[in-house]
Each structure stands twice: as structure tokens, then as C-alpha cells.
Amino acid sequence: KQEVTQIPAALSVPEGENLVLNCSFTDSAIYNLQWFRQDPGKGLTSLLLIQSSQREQTSGRLNASLDKSSGRSTLYIAASQPGDSATYLCAVRRDNNFNKFYFGSGTKLNVKP
Amino acid sequence: DAGITQSPRHKVTETGTPVTLRCHQTENHRYMYWYRQDPGHGLRLIHYSYGVKDTDKGEVSDGYSVSRSKTEDFLLTLESATSSQTSVYFCAISAGTSGGDETQYFGPGTRLLVL
């Protein structure tokens, strides 16, 4: 069974800092990996999706990387803002047939003004 | 935002009663999912559907059943609610097509309290 871990569980940084969120998974045979953002009391919003054949994806101030062989992905947030405060979750898709996703428990980010 | 709605958004019920949650999409996506989210556990898949009348179990399916009679609707039923089923339930959809949009989109969630 695929296990997905996100460390740390919580992170507090001052505004303007660049930061990295980590996601690790136990089975490297993944199809893709997706990063989400969740605001309190809300659903999940997709941020970036990386296919297994890709090394990274970028959207604005966000950059996600994937190293399948080591079972790791990172989400880099540049010049953090208070509006970035949320919980960030990663999800691994097992293969292209079963369409199943395995989620980490998330990293709760607080960006202080 | 993807067109996904969930109803009800909040529900309080008593142990032993049946409960049905509804997920409705306007995107015509093939795949639909039900997850539950609990502190310390992240999101766990309950059931998913890969087409009308085609469903399969996820990792925490005991005590739950699903039905999908139309592309746009996916129902989750708690046969006899228990306190351990108190949770936030999320519906998600995905086109799931290789080379196309493989993103998973989530609904706003349903908060269920079983007393």
C-alpha cells in the first residue's frame, strides 16, 4: 500500500520568506502527483499536477518538483504572503487504470505579516 | 471553479439512522469519488465510480454504499450511522483521460455529526 507523508505538520514563517514543503511516498511506481491547497472549512483546490515523466511544474510563485526514484516531491513557494496561509496536501495517483489517489495529512502553513 | 455541489452541507443525525449525501457535477467527468477527512488521517477514499452504475470500493468502505444512476450524480449512503462516521465528506471528480485533464477537483464538503 502506498504511504504518503508530509513533514512538517505545521510551519510558521515571516512574510516574504521562500519556503519548501515536503512530500514523500513509499512506492515509486506512481502515475502522477498533485499538490492541493485547503483553506479552513473549505474543499481542496488543485495547485499543480506533475506527471511521473516530469521533473517539475511551475505556476506563478509555486514550483513543484518530483524525484520518483527517491520517493519525494517538494513544493517551493517564493516570496510568501499572508494569503498563502493554508494547509497544503500532496496526493499520489497509483496508476492510469485504477484512478486511485493517496493523500498525505498535509502541512499547515502560517505566513505572518 | 469546477461545477461540483454537495448536499447537504451540514447534517446532524442520530446513531442508527440511514443518511444519504449527494454529489452533483456539471462537468460531465467520468470519474467521481467520495472521501472522508479526519484529523490525523488526511483524506481517505471511501468509494469511487468510473462510470454510470460502475463503482468500486476504496480503503474505508465498510458501512458505506454508493450509487451512480446518472453521470452527474453520485450518492453516498451510510446504512446505519455510527459515531465513528462523524467526519467531513468530500466529493471529487476527474476526467481521468491520459494526456488530457487528469486533475482531481473537489466539492465544498459535507460536515456530518452523528450523535
Side-chain angles (χ1 to χ4, degrees), chain A residues 4-104:
Chain A
V4 181
T5 304
Q6 293 185 248
I7 296 173
L11 182 64
S12 184
V13 300
E15 181 177 5
E17 191 164 298
N18 302 325
L19 58 100
V20 174
L21 305 181
N22 297 298
C23 172
S24 61
F25 45 94
T26 54
D27 185 350
S28 63
I30 67 169
Y31 185 70
N32 63 34
L33 183 146
Q34 195 166 357
W35 281 94
F36 295 89
R37 168 188 173 134
Q38 185 176 27
D39 293 290
K42 305 285 187 175
L44 281 69
T45 300
S46 178
L47 297 174
L48 290 164
L49 184 148
I50 311 176
Q51 299 291 354
S52 62
S53 58
Q54 297 175 322
R55 297 285 291 182
E56 64 179 285
Q57 282 286 336
T58 298
S59 176
R61 295 183 294 109
L62 305 179
N63 176 277
S65 68
L66 175 63
D67 184 344
K68 270 199 337 175
S69 61
S70 66
R72 296 181 62 182
S73 176
T74 61
L75 179 66
Y76 174 83
I77 302 177
S80 59
Q81 304 170 357
D84 294 330
S85 297
T87 297
Y88 292 80
L89 298 98
C90 66
V92 170
R93 179 176 167 183
R94 192 171 82 181
D95 56 48
N96 65 341
N97 289 322
F98 284 87
N99 236 344
K100 290 183 180 178
F101 294 79
Y102 298 91
F103 285 77

Side-chain angles (χ1 to χ4, degrees), chain B residues 25-95:
Chain B
Q25 61 147 328
T26 58
E27 306 297 321
N28 201 36
H29 281 357
R30 178 182 176 187
Y31 295 90
M32 299 186 75
Y33 310 81
W34 278 107
Y35 290 92
R36 59 179 290 173
Q37 186 176 37
D38 305 288
H41 288 280
L43 276 85
R44 292 177 292 174
L45 182 67
I46 304 171
H47 282 279
Y48 69 99
S49 169
Y50 48 97
V52 173
K53 294 190 185 345
D54 292 324
T55 64
D56 201 355
K57 296 178 180 180
E59 65 174 311
V60 290
S61 60
D62 288 347
Y64 302 94
S65 63
V66 291
S67 65
R68 190 170 179 197
S69 58
K70 298 184 289 185
T71 298
E72 57 266 35
D73 289 324
F74 192 31
L75 303 181
L76 176 71
T77 297
L78 288 64
E79 310 287 349
S80 176
T82 67
S83 59
S84 65
Q85 293 176 312
T86 292
S87 187
V88 181
Y89 291 86
F90 287 101
C91 173
I93 66 174
S94 170

